Amino acid sequence: MTVLSERAEPRQPAWKIVVKILLVLVLLYFFLGGMAMMGDGLKTLGKNPEYDKHPPACGVREYRDAVYEVFKYADNPLVGLFVGILATSIFQSSSFTTSFAVSLVVTTPLTLHQAIFIIMGANIGTSVTNTGVSFTHVRRRDEFERAYGAAIVHDFFNTLSVLLLFPTEWLVWRLTGKGLLERLAVWMASAFYSGAPTGQKPTNFLKEAVEPLVRSVAWLLERGLGLGHVAASITLMVLGVVFLFAALLLMTMVLRSLVMKRVERFFDRVLFRNAVTAYLVGLLLTATVQSSSITTSLAVPLAGAGLLTLRQIFPYTLGANLGTTVTALIASFATSADTPAQAQIGIALAFSHMLFNAIGSLVWYPLRFVPIGIAKWWSHQAARSRYFAVLHVTLFFFVLPAVVIGLYWLFG
């Protein structure tokens, strides 16, 4: 039973409960809109029409060219891993990193083997979003410990999977000329892909739902306030952060006031009643919203409020990890690539992503006491000293990858 089961259940009028539930849905919409605004603000920085009209002075690189340059350092597997971590941490989207990797495999000397290490890094980097979300609980020590633990168990699962599969992939490649994931992914892609596009990519209903909010804010910044493309993109990103954290803070407050025994029972005995159910909820929800960052982030305030335990969230996280690869796989089968060879590369990368998470789940769920134990200890240290948590996020997701890439650029 979860933490809040011992609390007294306050009696509230039915109309007040309905209003609070509607308020949670509205705040959830703004939370999702904030995430979309952050991503759009970052991505549109690379689509700067002002650059084509007025090229920058000598020595200043175009944003897109700089990103491509960073990805090109991935010819070294270790650097490729950190490129995946850094790119996904910055752009808050493993799909973005995967798409970039596919385009580079097709258009540059970067190989499928090297791109697989980028995908491994993207898996780690995608957990920065829900880790950041847990900081909305930082003012309450016990609440922050639960929320932070629920967030970083995703991080530690991905890190442990990389520690297992990175050396395996590299060693098999050194011995046989092709890595384990590469061999399996290429075989699966050739077996399942007929060489012709199978239709349109699946519609992202979540993105379409928040698109009016994002477009309205972008229009207000560019047309209403007259900001330039770069200034508007940066402002959109900052406003996305504000929307996300404000919505989460308010949503946590409302959820806390809605914590009644029957609400807790719904999560405890229905959605998360056992590992299989939790796994399927994570998988199906992520396949629906097409983002594991969103799915895992939604569970963080529930853990902070005491509605869910770390053991309940862990299989849910594994399901979310696999769910995001299912969506990418469907999209890759509906590819609009110019040639069958290009399409097959995208499908092979999608399969390698799926295999990475499937193998990781098969290994670490039976040994779940390892990632859960590390997450509990780590979150306890973070609750004792908030600086510990800040250093973890800053160093692990941004500083360390940047240092490794920088050292390779200087000496590699």
Side-chain angles (χ1 to χ4, degrees):
M1 185 60 67
T2 51
V3 173
L4 296 174
S5 59
E6 298 173 0
R7 299 181 183 177
E9 179 181 352
R11 288 187 173 274
Q12 299 184 45
W15 67 267
K16 187 176 288 188
I17 295 173
V18 172
V19 169
K20 287 183 177 181
I21 292 173
L22 292 174
L23 181 58
V24 167
L25 295 176
V26 171
L27 291 171
L28 179 61
Y29 180 80
F30 280 101
F31 163 73
L32 299 173
M35 290 191 70
M37 287 163 62
M38 275 196 308
D40 279 21
L42 281 166
K43 291 172 187 175
T44 52
L45 278 172
K47 303 173 182 176
N48 188 354
E50 296 173 4
Y51 175 85
D52 300 321
K53 297 177 183 177
H54 308 287
C58 182
V60 181
R61 293 183 179 182
E62 186 186 4
Y63 185 78
R64 283 165 293 182
D65 290 344
V67 174
Y68 271 105
E69 285 297 319
V70 171
F71 271 76
K72 287 177 184 177
Y73 295 145
D75 58 347
N76 179 290
L78 183 61
V79 177
L81 175 72
F82 284 105
V83 164
I85 294 174
L86 183 62
T88 308
S89 298
I90 292 174
F91 289 96
Q92 306 276 301
S93 171
S94 58
S95 298
F96 169 83
T97 307
T98 304
S99 300
F100 238 110
V102 171
S103 67
L104 287 175
V105 168
V106 172
T107 60
T108 74
L110 190 73
T111 65
L112 176 60
H113 165 72
Q114 293 163 340
I116 287 174
F117 293 106
I118 297 177
I119 300 303
M120 290 185 185
N123 244 47
I124 293 177
T126 194
S127 60
V128 71
T129 304
N130 56 328
T131 304
V133 165
S134 68
F135 279 87
T136 58
H137 302 267
V138 74
R139 292 177 300 176
R140 297 169 181 263
R141 178 172 172 173
D142 291 344
E143 201 171 289
F144 178 62
E145 183 173 347
R146 292 193 296 268
Y148 192 68
I152 63 174
V153 74
H154 185 200
D155 180 12
F156 285 121
F157 164 74
N158 288 326
T159 303
L160 288 168
S161 295
V162 166
L163 290 175
L164 173 69
L165 291 172
F166 181 96
T168 303
E169 183 74 9
W170 182 85
L171 185 60
V172 174
W173 168 72
R174 291 290 293 179
L175 293 175
T176 67
K178 275 191 177 182
L180 176 64
L181 294 178
E182 183 182 6
R183 286 180 179 277
L184 292 173
V186 168
W187 176 80
M188 293 172 75
S190 61
F192 286 91
Y193 180 60
S194 62
T198 56
Q200 295 183 342
K201 294 182 179 180
T203 302
N204 190 332
F205 296 104
L206 182 65
K207 184 177 180 180
E208 290 190 354
V210 298
E211 190 69 20
L213 174 63
V214 178
R215 285 188 177 181
S216 298
V217 175
W219 181 90
L220 179 64
L221 294 174
E222 292 192 4
R223 301 291 180 87
L225 300 180
L227 297 180
H229 180 83
V230 174
S233 298
I234 293 174
T235 306
L236 183 66
M237 178 185 66
V238 173
L239 286 175
V241 175
V242 173
F243 271 54
L244 189 149
F245 280 94
L248 267 175
L249 283 169
L250 293 172
M251 192 161 58
T252 301
M253 293 170 60
V254 177
L255 280 171
R256 194 181 297 121
S257 69
L258 269 174
V259 172
M260 301 166 289
K261 286 183 180 178
R262 62 176 176 270
V263 177
E264 181 183 358
R265 196 176 298 121
F266 175 71
F267 286 104
D268 201 31
R269 298 184 182 178
V270 179
L271 294 183
F272 292 82
R273 61 182 177 182
N274 56 50
V276 175
T277 306
Y279 186 89
L280 291 175
V281 168
L283 191 154
L284 295 175
L285 183 58
T286 305
T288 302
V289 303
Q290 301 185 19
S291 172
S292 61
S293 296
I294 291 175
T295 307
T296 52
S297 295
L298 289 176
V300 170
L302 298 175
L307 287 170
L308 296 175
T309 66
L310 201 53
R311 287 190 171 275
Q312 289 173 307
I313 283 179
F314 185 64
Y316 168 83
T317 298
L318 302 188
N321 263 17
L322 192 62
T324 193
T325 67
V326 169
T327 305
L329 187 61
I330 293 172
S332 69
F333 270 109
T335 181
S336 57
D338 295 332
T339 67
Q342 292 177 357
Q344 197 170 57
I345 289 174
I347 294 171
L349 268 179
F351 271 123
S352 69
H353 196 187
M354 175 182 286
L355 287 166
F356 175 88
N357 285 293
I359 294 172
S361 297
L362 289 172
V363 172
W364 293 114
Y365 183 74
L367 300 173
R368 55 191 174 277
F369 65 89
V370 177
I372 291 176
I374 296 173
K376 283 183 176 180
W377 180 86
W378 204 273
S379 61
H380 181 68
Q381 301 305 313
R384 291 176 60 188
S385 174
R386 312 307 194 272
Y387 295 110
F388 184 86
V390 173
L391 285 174
H392 166 225
V393 174
T394 306
L395 294 177
F396 186 73
F397 291 104
F398 300 100
V399 176
L400 179 60
V403 168
V404 171
I405 295 168
L407 289 174
Y408 184 75
W409 176 68
L410 289 172
F411 304 109

